[in-house]
């Protein structure tokens, strides 16, 4: 519940779960959730009410406890004691309070089913990656002008800076390619920086990203084949993909290009011969794309 939202009534696996009480406290990276829930098995029809507490101390450090609900008085006393211990910001005292009320029924991320554990860990890792990226980016943007000056003097940048540049350039290349409208100018700038600082590109990830992006844009062109700007963007991206040390598989892109060539090209050729300027530009760009893809147009 600390990592994913649930309705007060929901279904989990073969159980119906009704959340009767739920309270959350958060301070910095730590978070405490306590409450009461009623669980009913759909298979056997039996139901029971439980009280629970979940403490997230940051990263993968999660402690959870569950036990049967005995009385409202005992439940409220336990909730109050847990919340008061959390307000004191003494994690050791809070963990001891968790042990007091939940005893041996303590759980961690290891207790989750594999798929659920992977999903939670992915959320935790994303936060860690975002923090690391922000730190690296601050260092990179601060030191980049000095590194360019060193290169002009023929002095190789420190390995630590190269590692930072490698980390960020690969991330930015993947993120830019994943955008609905990839910024070709930014991609060129990133590729130039990669060459300038002699960083190693993540070949496997970038080949996959280029292929997916080009296939996605070609599908869009098939639906809107008159978009000359889109054709120009695809040309630039194909040329960039061709510069990758590892070959980008473009057979789907070539097949879609051939479909447009078969079904649409002749219409534009006819309009071109009649002197229509937009058609002339379309034929010019489409032919250039064919050259990049290795598909003969004329």
């Amino acid at each position: 519940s600390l990592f994913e939202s649930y309705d007060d009534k929901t279904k989990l696996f073969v159980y119906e779960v009704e959340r009767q009480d739920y309270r959350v406290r958060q301070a910095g990276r730590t978070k405490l959730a306590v409450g009461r829930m009623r669980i009913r098995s759909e298979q056997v029809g039996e139901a029971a009410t439980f009280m629970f507490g979940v403490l997230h101390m940051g990263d993968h450090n999660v402690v959870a406890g569950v036990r049967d609900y005995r009385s409202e008085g005992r439940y409220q006393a336990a909730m109050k004691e847990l919340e008061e211990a959390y307000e004191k910001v003494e994690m050791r005292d809070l963990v001891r309070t968790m042990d007091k009320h939940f005893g041996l029924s303590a759980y961690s991320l290891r207790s989750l089913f594999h798929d659920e554990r992977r999903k939670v860990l992915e959320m935790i890792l994303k936060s860690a990656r975002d923090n690391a990226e922000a730190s690296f980016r601050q260092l990179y943007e601060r030191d980049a002008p000095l590194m360019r000056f060193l290169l002009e003097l023929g002095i190789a940048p420190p390995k630590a800076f190269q590692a930072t540049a490698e980390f960020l350039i690969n991330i930015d290349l993947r993120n830019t390619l994943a955008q609905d409208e990839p910024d070709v100018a930014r991609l060129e700038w990133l590729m130039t920086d990669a060459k300038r600082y002699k960083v190693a590109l993540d070949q496997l990830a970038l080949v996959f990203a280029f292929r997916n992006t080009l296939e996605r844009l070609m599908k869009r062109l098939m639906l809107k084949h008159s978009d000359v700007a889109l054709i120009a963007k695809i040309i630039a991206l194909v040329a960039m993909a061709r510069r990758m040390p590892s070959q980008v598989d473009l057979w789907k892109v070539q097949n879609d290009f051939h479909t447009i060539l078969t079904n649409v090209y002749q219409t534009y050729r006819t309009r071109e011969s009649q002197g229509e300027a937009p058609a002339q530009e379309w034929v010019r760009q489409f032919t250039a794309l064919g050259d990049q893809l290795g598909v003969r147009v004329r």
Side-chain angles (χ1 to χ4, degrees), residues 59-72:
D59 297 329
H60 63 291
N61 300 303
V62 179
V63 178
V66 181
R67 69 172 301 166
D68 56 305
Y69 168 83
R70 297 179 181 178
S71 70
E72 185 63 17

Side-chain angles (χ1 to χ4, degrees), residues 15-155:
Y15 299 99
E16 292 178 353
V17 182
E18 179 185 359
R19 190 167 57 190
Q20 299 175 337
D21 185 29
Y22 186 65
R23 314 171 194 180
V24 179
R25 299 286 186 274
Q26 183 169 6
R29 300 179 65 199
T30 68
K31 203 171 184 180
L32 173 72
V34 293
R36 183 178 70 246
M37 59 187 172
R38 183 169 178 78
I39 301 179
R40 176 182 175 276
S41 169
E42 294 182 332
Q43 291 184 332
V44 298
E46 294 182 357
T49 302
F50 301 90
M51 55 181 277
F52 64 89
V54 188
L55 173 63
H56 183 208
M57 295 175 284
D59 297 329
H60 63 291
N61 300 303
V62 179
V63 178
V66 181
R67 69 172 301 166
D68 56 305
Y69 168 83
R70 297 179 181 178
S71 70
E72 185 63 17
R74 178 174 288 188
Y75 169 71
Q76 292 297 343
M79 297 299 102
K80 181 180 179 181
E81 191 171 348
L82 286 165
E83 290 175 323
E84 287 179 348
Y86 183 76
E87 292 300 325
K88 293 178 181 177
V89 200
E90 288 290 342
M91 290 299 107
R92 287 179 297 180
D93 291 344
L94 181 54
V95 172
R96 281 196 292 267
T97 305
M98 294 273 289
D99 290 340
K100 172 184 173 181
H101 290 290
F102 298 110
L104 297 177
S105 60
Y107 305 93
S108 69
L109 288 182
R110 297 178 187 272
S111 309
L112 294 174
F113 288 129
H114 183 268
D115 288 345
E116 295 296 313
R117 183 171 65 238
R118 183 175 59 186
K119 184 163 56 175
V120 170
L121 285 174
E122 181 57 35
M123 296 177 191
I124 294 172
L125 287 171
K126 182 181 183 306
S127 176
R129 285 195 299 265
D130 289 347
N131 290 335
E133 181 181 339
S135 298
F136 273 94
R137 194 172 300 282
Q138 185 178 16
L139 292 171
Y140 179 77
E141 292 175 352
R142 185 193 68 187
D143 295 336
L146 174 59
M147 296 305 111
R148 292 193 183 99
F149 179 69
L150 290 177
L151 287 170
E152 289 176 4
L153 297 177
I155 302 172

Side-chain angles (χ1 to χ4, degrees), residues 184-223:
V184 173
R186 175 161 175 75
L187 287 169
E188 286 286 2
W189 181 80
L190 289 167
M191 295 286 278
T192 300
D193 262 10
K195 184 177 181 180
R196 174 187 292 137
Y197 299 124
K198 298 180 180 179
V199 303
L201 294 177
D202 186 345
Q203 297 293 328
L204 185 62
L206 290 176
V207 164
F208 182 77
F210 268 111
R211 189 189 72 194
N212 280 354
T213 299
L214 286 166
E215 289 177 2
R216 171 166 50 86
L217 293 180
M218 279 301 297
K219 292 297 182 187
R220 188 187 303 173
L221 184 62
M222 290 182 71
L223 297 174

Side-chain angles (χ1 to χ4, degrees), residues 188-291:
E188 286 286 2
W189 181 80
L190 289 167
M191 295 286 278
T192 300
D193 262 10
K195 184 177 181 180
R196 174 187 292 137
Y197 299 124
K198 298 180 180 179
V199 303
L201 294 177
D202 186 345
Q203 297 293 328
L204 185 62
L206 290 176
V207 164
F208 182 77
F210 268 111
R211 189 189 72 194
N212 280 354
T213 299
L214 286 166
E215 289 177 2
R216 171 166 50 86
L217 293 180
M218 279 301 297
K219 292 297 182 187
R220 188 187 303 173
L221 184 62
M222 290 182 71
L223 297 174
K224 192 179 179 182
H225 47 73
S226 62
D227 192 338
V228 175
L230 178 57
I231 298 175
K233 178 170 289 189
I234 296 172
I235 291 171
L237 288 172
V238 172
M240 212 175 299
R242 295 288 193 195
R243 301 205 309 262
M244 292 290 294
S246 298
Q247 184 175 359
V248 179
D249 186 353
L250 297 174
W251 72 271
K252 285 187 178 180
V253 175
Q254 292 166 327
N255 283 349
D256 289 342
F257 178 87
H258 192 269
T259 299
I260 299 173
L261 176 63
T262 302
N263 299 325
V264 177
Y265 175 73
Q266 195 54 50
T267 300
Y268 282 93
R269 283 283 290 159
T270 301
R271 290 165 53 187
E272 177 198 35
S273 64
Q274 295 171 351
E276 291 187 21
Q280 292 172 349
E281 178 61 15
W282 188 93
V283 170
R284 186 182 72 80
Q285 293 282 10
F286 191 75
T287 302
L289 178 56
D291 291 342

